[in-house]
Amino acid sequence: MTDKESPIDLTVGGLFSYPVKGMRGVALGATMMATTGTQHDRRWMLVDPRQTPAQFLSQRELPDLATLAATVNDEGELTLSSHGVVPIHIHGTDYATVRAVKVWNFETLAEDAGDFAADWCARALARPMGSVRLVRFDTARTRLCNAAYAGDSGAHTWFADGYPVLVANAASLDDLNARIVTRGGQRLPMDRFRPNLVVHGLPAWDEDFVDTLTISDVVLKLVKPCVRCLVTTTDQQRGHRLGSEPLDTLATFRNDADFGGVTFGWNAIVVTAGAIRTGASVRAAYRF
């Protein structure tokens, strides 16, 4: 049970989807928040087919994935684009085969988007032909979240790192940036952390104590702090690594030995799905 609720002036400051894992995010004015997160979020990913099963690829290995844009139309067709490359449209009939893939410790069969899509991705990323394949999550299958944090909720996700929604607090970024500037660095934008939902009005770092967020009919439960990696050091517009911030500053006050790294933002599961929009009011219920 919770015994404290937030003021009523919290709002949704941003909503984002990342249709292809590692590629540029899409800002959303509104979306259906499904059990798997924001609409189309990480339904697709790139894999290295030279490994068995094919291993997922992200900005950890390919920082220039950030320069590729992915959008999905109302029919579920994926469009990929990048500067200097003719866009590609991937239709439902392009997924003629399945491929064994692995994302972290989860293995499954995914729908392969075909040679044309694979070759386009290789060219756009200046990778050798045959080194990447584009795959789509087969929604007939289920990838459960870690029960150690999600409990027996049945929460599941597609190709996200582990949970369907990443929640970030705008005030926490403001505090982090103030600390970075004090150490001689430059302020960082929120896109470095690739959140799905940004909350405005919550005091800095109060997300550490929030149990649930309620937005209209949607209920999200925060279940695990997000351990951050070198992706946060990557310019999300140019796909370049830019030093060691924010990891260095986070290490001075957000190093969590229990989770094995520095943290920013919280992973959440979707308790109640529904429609959500930017600017909507948010109610936060605290654990204590």
Side-chain angles (χ1 to χ4, degrees):
M1 297 292 291
T2 57
D3 57 9
K4 177 183 175 185
E5 288 198 351
S6 67
I8 61 172
D9 56 351
L10 306 186
T11 59
V12 176
L15 285 170
F16 303 90
S17 178
Y18 307 85
V20 180
K21 186 178 183 70
M23 291 190 187
R24 183 170 296 172
V26 178
L28 306 170
T31 186
M32 286 299 299
M33 183 68 78
T35 305
T36 52
T38 54
Q39 198 165 22
H40 309 301
D41 190 61
R42 297 172 175 93
R43 174 84 191 274
W44 290 263
M45 71 176 177
L46 294 184
V47 297
D48 183 347
R50 298 169 298 185
Q51 302 182 55
T52 305
Q55 179 71 24
F56 83 99
L57 296 168
S58 73
Q59 287 187 31
R60 297 170 183 84
E61 303 83 20
L62 301 173
D64 51 345
L65 266 175
T67 65
L68 275 59
T71 57
V72 186
N73 68 14
D74 292 340
E75 287 71 47
E77 294 178 351
L78 178 70
T79 295
L80 302 181
S81 59
S82 181
H83 180 71
V85 184
V86 176
I88 183 176
H89 306 283
I90 303 166
H91 309 285
T93 54
D94 294 327
Y95 303 93
T97 62
V98 296
R99 180 178 296 274
V101 302
K102 184 175 183 179
V103 52
W104 297 113
N105 62 351
F106 174 74
E107 297 183 21
T108 190
L109 293 177
E111 302 163 332
D112 192 292
D115 293 342
F116 188 60
D119 292 348
W120 185 95
C121 292
R123 287 194 300 272
L125 293 166
R127 300 277 290 178
M129 290 296 168
S131 65
V132 297
R133 302 291 296 189
L134 177 69
V135 298
R136 183 175 70 174
F137 195 93
D138 178 1
T139 56
R141 303 173 186 274
T142 301
R143 179 186 174 206
L144 291 173
C145 299
N146 188 342
Y149 302 102
D152 60 358
S153 62
H156 57 279
T157 186
W158 290 336
F159 290 135
D161 275 355
Y163 300 88
V165 180
L166 178 61
V167 176
N169 179 1
S172 296
L173 178 61
D174 289 342
D175 180 75
L176 173 60
N177 275 328
R179 294 169 186 260
I180 290 173
V181 169
T182 297
R183 290 164 54 89
Q186 296 183 335
R187 294 176 60 87
L188 305 178
M190 183 62 87
D191 66 6
R192 289 286 192 94
F193 300 95
R194 297 174 65 81
N196 295 112
L197 172 70
V198 178
V199 178
H200 283 191
L202 194 67
W205 312 113
D206 257 30
E207 61 270 32
D208 290 344
F209 312 107
V210 168
D211 181 45
T212 60
L213 297 173
T214 301
I215 307 113
S216 187
D217 295 329
V218 174
V219 180
L220 305 177
K221 183 176 179 61
L222 279 60
V223 296
K224 182 179 181 290
C226 185
V227 176
R228 308 316 305 224
C229 68
L230 80 170
V231 171
T232 60
T233 70
T234 305
D235 184 323
Q236 293 297 306
Q237 302 305 309
R238 295 182 295 164
H240 296 161
R241 301 270 194 248
L242 298 176
S244 54
E245 290 290 6
L247 299 179
D248 283 354
T249 297
L250 285 171
T252 67
F253 74 112
R254 296 286 298 178
N255 202 349
D256 194 320
D258 290 338
F259 294 103
V262 300
T263 66
F264 182 94
W266 272 74
N267 294 296
I269 61 174
V270 182
V271 177
T272 305
I276 188 171
R277 62 175 178 82
T278 302
S281 295
V282 179
R283 187 172 72 254
Y286 286 72
R287 297 187 192 90
F288 46 81

